[in-house]
Structure formats: C-alpha cells, structure tokens
Amino acid sequence: MSKLKPVFLITAGPTREYLDPVRFFSNPSTGKMGYALARTARDRGAKVILVSGPVALRAPGGVRLVRVESANEMRREVMRRRADVVIMAAAVADYRPEKRLSRKMKKGSRQINVPMARTGDILAELGRKKGNRILVGFAAETGALVREARRKLREKDLDMIVANDVFRPDAGFASDYNRAVIIDRDGNVTRLARMRKDALARIIIRRCLDLYSSPAS
C-alpha cells in the first residue's frame, strides 16, 4: 500500500425530502452499513469523512461526521470534499416533491397528487469527474440483482458495486446482517453468504485498500 494513508469519504443513512414542515418522503435505511464501513476504515488507519443522513446511531470516534438531511445537501457535501476512496452506502432518495410547502398541508377528504422532481444522481456525477478516485456504489434491488448492478457499475464508471436484494427478510435495511453480491470493474462476481454488516464492511474496506495500493494502469 502507498505510504500515504487514503482519505475515505463514506455516505450513510437515508435522506428526507420534505413536502411540508412535518411530512417527508424517505426510506427504511438506518445507516448501519455506512457506519460499519466508517469504523472499519478508521481501524485500518484511514482518515474518514462520514456524510450521514438522519439516523439514530452514534458517530464512530475519530471520524469526521457531516450531518445532512436531503439529497441536495448530501450532494453538496460530497462534491465539495476531496477523497481517495468514495463509498456511497447511503440510500439517497431518487425523487423529491417539486415544491416544499412553507406551512403544514391541511387534511382533506380528497385524494392528492404530489408532483415529484428527480434528485441529482451523486454517484453518476462522481463517475463523470472520477479522476484517480476509487468509487464504490451500493445497489438495493428487488429483482435482476446482478444485471442491474452491472448496469450501474458500467454507467457510473465505478470500481466496485455492492448489491443486495432488499426483499429478503433476514438481511438489508435495518438489519445487523446483509447478504451481498460484490462485482468489480473487471466483471468478477463474488456472492457472499449472509453475514454481519461489520464482517461485510471488513471485506469491502480490504478490497478498497487493495485497489488503492494497486491502481489500474
């Protein structure tokens, strides 16, 4: 490995996209995977920046924590920071309400329709400005796991992607366990058994450090 310790930027948790001051769109991510990655990278001697959506977890000691709430805030904080390795483990919302109301929407008897706008694709933007960074993405899928993960890996110019089936009841969101498939940019597919997220984090960080110490020519 290089004599210089790499800087890791890791994202974690969900984002919240507000409709009004008290209602928002979000997802069940608890941040456990991202926080496990941050702890593990720190334990391996890396400098770690953790950009976290709203979660109930305590930040690991020795890690620089940046709290965000929305997808736009996460994008801004990720894009303004320099890092050797970026791991996008956060479950960033793909859509947000077009308008955020300044006052609480009153309950009525009729159905409502909420126009939604696309949020920025942070990982795709990082891929377009990749430079020498190592980029790792996560893919939470409900079907065609490997095919969808390969597509994201290619389209976003990633070095590695970690995919998991969120339909499984024994792993994934909110669980201490995960069952993942890792695909690298050479097309190698590694199917991992169900394991604790701390154990999966050790595998991912080790692979990142291997990539950092042996950059592609």
Side-chain angles (χ1 to χ4, degrees):
M1 184 167 42
S2 166
K3 291 181 180 179
L4 294 175
K5 296 292 186 182
V7 176
F8 277 69
L9 189 155
I10 299 169
T11 68
T15 62
R16 292 176 177 172
E17 313 303 324
Y18 278 87
L19 173 63
D20 65 20
V22 298
R23 300 184 181 94
F24 55 80
F25 293 85
S26 190
N27 59 67
S29 174
T30 58
K32 289 180 178 178
M33 190 70 245
Y35 277 59
L37 288 163
R39 281 193 303 274
T40 304
R42 175 206 62 189
D43 292 346
R44 293 295 301 267
K47 178 181 177 182
V48 180
I49 304 166
L50 176 61
V51 180
S52 175
V55 299
L57 302 175
R58 178 176 296 179
V63 167
R64 182 176 181 185
L65 176 66
V66 180
R67 295 188 187 279
V68 299
E69 193 159 19
S70 69
N72 281 341
E73 291 171 0
M74 183 165 286
R75 177 194 169 277
R76 183 182 67 235
E77 295 301 331
V78 168
M79 299 307 297
R80 70 193 292 232
R81 288 179 162 77
R82 301 183 66 176
D84 302 298
V85 182
V86 179
I87 305 178
M88 286 291 300
V92 182
D94 293 325
Y95 293 90
R96 60 171 175 78
E98 278 189 358
K99 290 179 61 177
R100 176 173 174 168
L101 305 177
S102 60
R103 295 177 179 274
K104 181 183 176 184
M105 178 186 288
K106 294 300 181 184
K107 181 169 59 180
S109 58
R110 289 189 297 183
Q111 184 181 35
I112 64 167
N113 293 308
V114 179
M116 302 291 283
R118 187 74 170 86
T119 60
D121 189 327
I122 303 170
L123 200 49
E125 186 172 353
L126 287 169
R128 290 192 295 271
K129 303 172 182 175
K130 190 167 186 291
N132 295 323
R133 286 180 295 199
I134 294 164
L135 295 183
V136 179
F138 273 67
E141 302 291 343
T142 56
L145 187 66
V146 172
R147 186 179 69 198
E148 285 302 306
R150 284 187 192 277
R151 180 183 62 78
K152 291 180 180 177
L153 180 93
R154 182 179 64 255
E155 291 182 354
K156 301 182 183 188
D157 197 14
L158 307 181
D159 296 284
M160 187 167 68
I161 190 162
V162 183
N164 65 299
D165 184 346
V166 293
F167 266 175
R168 297 190 67 93
D170 60 346
F173 284 139
S175 173
D176 290 330
Y177 294 83
N178 210 341
R179 186 191 301 269
V181 177
I182 296 178
I183 305 174
D184 66 26
R185 64 179 308 124
D186 294 325
N188 300 309
V189 178
T190 305
R191 299 178 186 275
L192 299 171
R194 179 176 179 266
M195 64 181 70
R196 293 188 65 85
K197 289 180 175 175
D198 285 334
L200 178 58
R202 288 194 288 273
I203 293 173
I204 295 169
I205 296 299
R206 185 174 66 241
R207 288 192 173 209
C208 289
L209 292 172
D210 288 345
L211 288 169
Y212 178 73
S213 61
S214 303
S217 57

